[in-house]
Amino acid sequence: AQSVSQHNHHVILSEAASLELGCNYSYGGTVNLFWYVQYPGQHLQLLLKYFSGDPLVKGIKGFEAEFIKSKFSFNLRKPSVQWSDTAEYFCAVKDTDKLIFGTGTRLQVFP
Amino acid sequence: NAGVTQTPKFQVLKTGQSMTLQCAQDMNHNSMYWYRQDPGMGLRLIYYSASEGTTDKGEVPNGYNVSRLNKREFSLRLESAAPSQTSVYFCASSTSYYVSGANVLTFGAGSRLTVL
């Protein structure tokens, strides 16, 4: 079965800093990959997804992620974070007929 | 469009009590899921229903039962609650896993359960 690793558990940044959150999945073949975000007190929302095609995926709010097959990775990036990006970020991979989530990365952005 | 609606939002139980979390979606989705979210452990799948009439165990099914009542509704039951089941529970739905590109989950607002 697929699994997902998020190695950054807690990231603290100042506004305007660049962000990269790591995500690795366990094995290859055809993969469907996702990043979800959970703002404080809210439910999870989809940031972006990868199914096929261009490995650089653009999502909402200026986020992007790059699928690197050789590294089994799908890292999330944003060139310049804002205070409003403070949230928990979850990477997820499709495993047959369900989604498997990573343990999440808590991002705190200070003004 | 309400999306995915969960009830109740908050519940406190005593050990050994039973309760049912209700979930309904109005998006005509085929697949529905129950996850629990715990600090440092992310979201873990409890049970899911890939289509009406089917249910399957996820990663952490012990202590739970589910019912896919119809296409819209998917309930999660705790028969005899334990403190280890203190968590935030999320229901989610998606169109279908059998259609490529349709595998996006829409989540409910969550149900916070405390078992004393």
Side-chain angles (χ1 to χ4, degrees):
Chain A
Q2 278 278 15
S3 64
V4 175
S5 298
Q6 291 182 247
H7 302 294
N8 314 106
H9 298 297
H10 190 190
V11 174
I12 301 173
L13 294 173
S14 299
E15 274 192 319
S18 63
L19 170 71
E20 181 161 3
L21 301 182
C23 172
N24 290 92
Y25 59 95
S26 56
Y27 64 83
T30 301
V31 288
N32 297 162
L33 294 157
F34 308 80
W35 277 98
Y36 280 81
V37 60
Q38 185 178 30
Y39 297 104
Q42 297 188 27
H43 59 91
L44 278 81
Q45 304 168 44
L46 181 69
L47 263 185
L48 49 79
K49 60 185 179 182
Y50 171 79
F51 288 98
S52 63
D54 190 343
L56 186 61
V57 179
K58 302 244 185 244
I60 60 172
K61 303 187 181 187
F63 286 91
E64 65 180 29
E66 186 174 12
F67 169 59
I68 303 180
K69 192 172 183 177
S70 61
K71 295 184 178 180
F72 298 87
S73 70
F74 189 56
N75 292 354
L76 182 71
R77 300 196 294 245
K78 186 171 184 179
S80 176
V81 295
Q82 301 172 313
W83 175 79
S84 58
D85 293 324
T86 293
E88 192 152 14
Y89 294 80
F90 294 93
C91 183
V93 63
K94 177 183 170 183
D95 181 29
T96 58
D97 56 356
K98 54 191 178 294
L99 280 195
I100 302 299
F101 284 82
T103 53
T105 298
R106 177 170 293 183
L107 172 66
Q108 282 185 287
V109 181
F110 289 95
Chain B
N1 242 358
V4 178
T5 304
Q6 292 181 232
T7 56
K9 287 188 171 23
F10 300 94
Q11 184 72 49
V12 179
L13 292 177
K14 294 181 181 176
T15 297
Q17 287 185 318
S18 62
M19 79 157 297
T20 299
L21 298 177
Q22 307 285 355
C23 176
Q25 52 89 11
D26 61 3
M27 296 170 286
N28 202 34
H29 283 173
N30 290 308
S31 303
M32 298 184 74
Y33 310 84
W34 277 106
Y35 287 88
R36 60 178 289 175
Q37 184 181 24
D38 302 290
M41 305 193 76
L43 278 85
R44 293 179 293 169
L45 182 64
I46 305 170
Y47 269 95
Y48 65 105
S49 171
S51 61
E52 187 179 358
T54 69
T55 60
D56 286 284
K57 295 179 181 179
E59 302 164 81
V60 289
N62 290 346
Y64 305 95
N65 284 303
V66 289
S67 296
R68 184 75 183 266
L69 304 169
N70 48 55
K71 191 172 185 180
R72 290 187 63 247
E73 299 172 287
F74 187 41
S75 63
L76 178 71
R77 182 160 178 84
L78 286 71
E79 292 291 351
S80 178
S84 61
Q85 294 178 304
T86 294
S87 187
V88 180
Y89 292 85
F90 286 98
C91 179
S93 69
S94 69
T95 51
S96 171
Y97 281 120
Y98 304 109
V99 176
S100 178
N103 196 16
V104 176
L105 294 183
T106 301
F107 282 85
S111 299
R112 185 175 293 273
L113 176 65
T114 301
V115 183
L116 302 175

